[in-house]
Amino acid sequence: MGHRLSLTKLRRALSGRKKKLQEIQEPDEPYQTTPTTTKPEEGQQEEEEEEEDDDDDMNEGNTVIGLLGGGQLGRMLCEAANPLGIDIAILDEHNAPAKQAHNTNRHVVGSFKDPGRIKELAARSDYLSVEIEHVDTEVLEDIEKNGVPVEINGEIVTHRPPIHPSWRTLRLIQDKYLQKEHFKSSGKTIPIAEQIAIESGDAALDSLKKAGKQFGFPFMLKARKGSYDGRGNFKVDSEDDFAEAIKALGTLPLYAEKWAPFVKELAVMVIRTEDSDGKLKNCVAYPAVETIHEDSICTKVFMPPRDVSEDICEKARKLATEVISTLWGRGVFAVEMFLLEDASLMINEVAPRPHNSGHYTIEAVPYMSQYKAQLHAVLDLPVPDKLIPRVQSSIMLNILGGAKPDSHHHLSGLARSTYDDDMDVYLHLYNKESKPSRKIGHITLTGFCSVQELEAKAKPFIDLVDQIRLDRLEATSETLRPTQETNGSAKPAEKAPVEPATDNHVEAQELSAEAASSDKPLVLVTMGSDSDLPVLKAGLDILKEFNVPYALDITSAHRTPKYMMKVADEAAGKGIKVIIAAAGGAAHLPGMISSETPLPVIGVPVKATHLDGIDSLLSIVQMPRGVPTATVGINNSTNAALLAIRILGAFVPEYQQAMKKYQVDMEEAVIVKGTKLREGGDAAYLAGMKK
């Protein structure tokens, strides 16, 4: 059967049909729920039965929003949900910041990119939403169309939790090039920069030459997927930059964008509401803000924007609502845009979630902060038609990790000790370990004065933020996450830090192990061709689940043998502890890398068009004596990743403990399935699997 009812309503409907009193017991399955009703007295009227069900409904618990991702955005969403009696079930690592702020037994431990974990979260939730847009939209689409099986009072039903924003929006937003093409073809007047797709591989150079001829110099080269906070961007000043640009970003899907001569960067948060049939009801915009980006990271937000007319601010709000009206699903959206030299506006990009530029709303718009608005929108609760701040001005300062772990202590201490009749100071710390450039908190200052006057009052805070940045730059600290491996080195590109296509999400997922406390990757995952990447995806998901920092590369044993040997030779010196190498056909890559490195190498034989991968498997297995190379089953990158983690666990106790827990969880899952099969029989079990 196919239901679109909430889990609470499903329980009520099924409980009302029960004829026998059922024993209340602890659930064996993560998806199982236990009855909370008893058999009605004989002769009771239907109305009385319904009243009893309503009482049980009240006892079932609060509405549950399942959230993919549990970083600081999820943490602040939970802080808004707690006083409203709304439960958030979070899918992320065990001690993610959001889980610290909201204690519930509904949380799911694992990667928010793992389809199985996402379905488990869906089975525990009345609604699904996201903290980060880089999620698996394929599984979200499947959940919307086919639902997930849920056992309620002994009966298997299909549960389809509404997903907001829609997986269609998330999939579109994930590709920045397609995102802007969508706005251009929407039928609305949405200004975007001219752009063209850039070919990959050997054709990249010709594509860059075409972009230079069409746009002139400078122009922006951008990664289509996986980048954020300005990472994955490269400013091309002349043809002399082509080689460096390809070196920095060449392994990623790219597009080129005509340079926008902007004077300020603005942002507008928008609440999008729609009915249960997906028809747009309204788009309501918050005030426009000015955002300051340094080192590709937002450091300051000013509300209202300094030296920007009210007319331009109002145009920015209207443009933002036009943009969001073209998308699908309910929620809060951030629209980033440029204010150009001619006072016109141009859309930069959209984030389908609460956003850094909207943190100020917690104190400046307390009756409907962006986090409360996200909850109201997802649950289809009322939102205001107008959003007017309770203060005249506000400044948000990001607290970023400095050169030392305690670099921010003076800043947070100043926030705790500052009181002013004309300025309020609000400190938010995310309980995250301080690392260079990492967002670990923010400070919001509000006042009943002009933003320029508030800026003057806030000068001690701004000066400290700037000093932390200067100290960090002088210390030449590395960026938080491992960058794209393109030359055997983990150094970021000189012009801009580059984010890997597969985000390791260490901001919200991190072990305390000493070896993992550095920001360098511990595992190098390499392949002979980018066509091997889909095979490696399952293994990469495992590395993320265990919070193992890794680097990705393409090192063909036949096409780039010199580069492959260089990468293998330098890996140990760069802190790599294990290498996973995937290859198909002749599959020489794992063995060749093993011959050039003292590190353990795990080969992943990839199933090619012919011979079903047997040739790849035998090629890796049959290495000569003296060149040990481990191997796993054909296409089994999951086991390759698990073996790599076991190797790391030999000298990092935290990884060993995480592996023990993984094994216990796996054992318990099998026991639960066996119990269910024995008690219900094969027919019921198969029926449940089909559903």
Side-chain angles (χ1 to χ4, degrees):
M1 68 180 71
H3 292 273
R4 281 194 171 274
L5 298 173
S6 70
L7 289 176
T8 298
K9 291 181 179 179
L10 279 171
R11 294 187 189 103
R12 185 179 65 183
L14 291 173
S15 295
R17 288 161 41 191
K18 283 295 176 182
K19 295 182 178 180
K20 293 182 179 180
L21 177 65
Q22 297 184 353
E23 293 288 331
I24 298 178
Q25 57 184 6
E26 290 297 320
D28 293 324
E29 283 259 60
Y31 297 1
Q32 186 178 7
T33 58
T34 55
T36 59
T37 61
T38 59
K39 177 181 176 182
E41 291 295 330
E42 207 172 343
Q44 261 188 320
Q45 297 299 313
E46 184 178 349
E47 291 80 6
E48 294 176 331
E49 186 176 284
E50 289 178 355
E51 287 177 5
E52 181 179 346
D53 290 338
D54 288 339
D55 290 338
D56 292 329
D57 192 9
M58 295 291 291
N59 295 328
E60 286 287 356
N62 302 327
T63 299
V64 181
I65 297 176
L67 187 67
L68 277 65
Q72 67 263 23
L73 299 180
R75 181 187 181 94
M76 286 180 272
L77 188 71
C78 288
E79 290 169 351
N82 287 336
L84 299 177
I86 298 170
D87 277 346
I88 310 293
I90 298 157
L91 171 55
D92 210 323
E93 66 103 14
H94 176 68
N95 199 35
K99 292 183 177 180
Q100 299 168 17
H102 188 75
N103 185 22
T104 174
N105 60 2
R106 299 181 185 274
H107 296 324
V108 178
V109 177
S111 168
F112 53 78
K113 297 183 180 180
D114 182 334
R117 297 298 191 191
I118 294 172
K119 289 185 176 181
E120 183 179 346
L121 179 72
R124 299 184 180 195
S125 308
D126 295 310
Y127 297 82
L128 284 181
S129 191
V130 300
E131 184 217 37
I132 185 170
E133 55 268 34
H134 303 299
V135 297
D136 187 339
T137 61
E138 299 292 337
V139 69
L140 293 179
E141 180 182 5
D142 179 63
I143 291 170
E144 179 181 275
K145 294 178 178 178
N146 302 313
V148 292
V150 181
E151 183 177 335
I152 297 178
N153 298 328
E155 183 171 349
I156 300 296
V157 299
T158 299
H159 175 49
R160 296 187 180 89
I163 301 168
H164 294 291
S166 167
W167 58 265
R168 295 178 63 195
T169 291
L170 296 173
R171 186 175 297 170
L172 176 69
I173 295 298
Q174 286 174 354
D175 190 319
K176 294 184 178 182
Y177 174 76
L178 293 182
Q179 175 190 148
K180 294 178 183 177
E181 288 295 298
H182 166 78
F183 297 145
K184 184 170 67 175
S185 61
S186 66
K188 298 179 180 290
T189 306
I190 299 176
I192 63 167
E194 292 183 54
Q195 61 178 19
I196 60 172
I198 296 296
E199 299 293 330
S200 59
D202 296 338
L205 181 58
D206 288 338
S207 280
L208 289 176
K209 289 179 179 178
K210 179 181 177 182
K213 184 177 181 180
Q214 181 172 334
F215 299 147
F217 295 97
F219 68 84
M220 288 299 297
L221 182 64
K222 297 184 176 184
R224 291 174 61 157
K225 294 186 175 183
S227 59
Y228 60 96
D229 276 347
R231 294 173 171 87
N233 294 347
F234 194 105
K235 182 183 177 185
V236 180
D237 290 312
S238 69
E239 290 190 1
D240 295 338
D241 288 336
F242 286 169
E244 187 179 356
I246 293 173
K247 180 181 177 182
L249 301 178
T251 60
L252 305 173
L254 304 171
Y255 71 104
E257 190 175 82
K258 185 176 181 179
W259 180 258
F262 64 91
V263 294
K264 283 186 184 294
E265 293 184 77
L266 305 181
V268 177
M269 300 300 304
V270 177
I271 310 172
R272 188 183 195 279
T273 58
E274 63 179 32
D275 62 23
S276 57
D277 295 323
K279 183 179 179 181
L280 175 66
K281 291 200 295 188
N282 201 6
C283 287
V284 185
Y286 287 88
V289 299
E290 173 189 357
T291 59
I292 305 298
H293 291 79
E294 297 167 307
D295 313 318
S296 299
I297 302 173
C298 178
T299 58
K300 306 173 186 75
V301 174
F302 294 86
M303 188 287 295
R306 298 166 299 175
D307 304 317
V308 177
S309 69
E310 291 184 11
D311 180 60
I312 290 177
C313 288
E314 188 58 30
K315 288 180 179 177
R317 295 175 70 174
K318 289 182 178 179
L319 176 58
T321 58
E322 284 285 277
V323 169
I324 301 307
S325 71
T326 71
L327 301 177
W328 309 273
R330 304 194 292 257
V332 171
F333 298 77
V335 182
E336 298 180 81
M337 59 186 78
F338 298 126
L339 176 61
L340 304 182
E341 293 172 342
D342 62 0
S344 64
L345 297 167
M346 176 180 289
I347 295 300
N348 180 23
E349 61 186 55
V350 170
R353 51 172 170 78
H355 191 259
N356 207 137
S357 62
H359 289 347
Y360 78 98
T361 63
I362 298 174
E363 287 81 26
V365 196
Y367 62 95
M368 191 54 66
S369 73
Q370 68 165 341
Y371 298 102
K372 186 175 180 180
Q374 176 75 353
L375 298 169
H376 273 236
V378 169
L379 300 180
D380 199 19
L381 299 174
V383 298
D385 291 330
K386 293 182 180 180
L387 294 165
I388 302 174
R390 298 300 196 214
V391 292
Q392 188 175 340
S393 57
S394 178
I395 299 173
M396 192 283 297
L397 305 173
N398 265 326
I399 302 176
L400 304 178
K404 300 178 180 179
D406 62 352
S407 295
H408 66 287
H409 286 184
H410 190 185
L411 178 60
S412 57
L414 179 64
R416 292 189 183 102
S417 59
T418 298
Y419 298 92
D420 192 289
D421 290 341
D422 300 317
M423 178 179 70
D424 291 324
V425 181
Y426 303 92
L427 174 65
H428 297 260
L429 292 175
Y430 307 148
N431 200 23
K432 294 165 60 176
E433 182 182 354
S434 175
K435 293 187 177 184
S437 298
R438 189 186 198 188
K439 293 177 184 175
I440 55 177
H442 74 267
I443 296 170
T444 300
L445 307 105
T446 63
F448 294 94
C449 56
S450 70
V451 70
Q452 289 83 1
E453 291 172 317
L454 183 61
E455 183 180 10
K457 290 179 178 293
K459 188 176 185 301
F461 294 91
I462 295 173
D463 288 346
L464 268 178
V465 167
D466 292 341
Q467 188 60 52
I468 292 171
R469 174 177 175 260
L470 290 175
D471 292 344
R472 182 173 61 245
L473 293 176
E474 289 176 4
T476 62
S477 300
E478 295 180 349
T479 54
L480 172 66
R481 297 176 180 79
T483 58
Q484 183 73 28
E485 290 271 320
T486 55
N487 59 354
S489 170
K491 284 182 63 179
E494 291 182 9
K495 289 205 170 190
V498 181
E499 193 71 6
T502 307
D503 181 12
N504 206 15
H505 196 60
V506 291
E507 278 201 12
Q509 304 182 25
E510 194 163 29
L511 291 176
S512 60
E514 179 179 353
S517 64
S518 74
D519 300 323
K520 295 181 179 180
L522 298 178
V523 176
L524 170 62
V525 182
T526 187
M527 63 210 84
S529 168
D530 60 357
S531 63
D532 300 331
L533 186 57
V535 171
L536 286 170
K537 181 181 183 301
L540 298 177
D541 287 343
I542 290 290
L543 294 177
K544 295 171 203 169
E545 181 176 345
F546 281 82
N547 309 292
V548 177
Y550 62 86
L552 284 171
D553 207 347
I554 298 175
T555 53
S556 172
H558 304 111
R559 302 181 185 90
T560 58
K562 294 180 180 178
Y563 174 61
M564 177 211 67
M565 294 173 70
K566 174 180 170 62
V567 170
D569 181 59
E570 296 179 353
K574 296 183 181 302
I576 297 294
K577 305 300 181 185
V578 187
I579 298 176
I580 296 174
H588 290 155
L589 178 62
M592 291 300 295
I593 285 182
S594 185
S595 69
E596 293 291 330
T597 182
L599 298 174
V601 177
I602 305 169
V604 179
V606 176
K607 181 179 178 179
T609 306
H610 306 290
L611 302 180
D612 291 330
I614 297 297
D615 49 342
S616 308
L617 174 63
L618 295 178
S619 179
I620 300 172
V621 168
Q622 294 289 359
M623 286 300 296
R625 289 183 178 87
V627 190
T629 308
T631 188
V632 293
I634 297 167
N635 282 9
N636 196 345
S637 64
T638 296
N639 273 2
L642 291 171
L643 179 56
I645 294 164
R646 290 189 178 196
I647 293 171
L648 293 175
F651 59 91
V652 182
E654 283 78 4
Y655 288 130
Q656 190 174 99
Q657 290 301 315
M659 180 57 67
K660 289 180 179 178
K661 183 179 183 304
Y662 177 89
Q663 291 174 298
V664 170
D665 290 345
M666 186 167 53
E667 179 185 14
E668 290 178 349
V670 174
I671 291 173
V672 166
K673 291 178 181 178
T675 301
K676 188 175 180 180
L677 178 60
R678 289 191 301 273
E679 293 179 352
D682 59 322
Y685 195 93
L686 288 171
M689 291 179 67
K690 291 178 181 178
K691 291 182 181 180

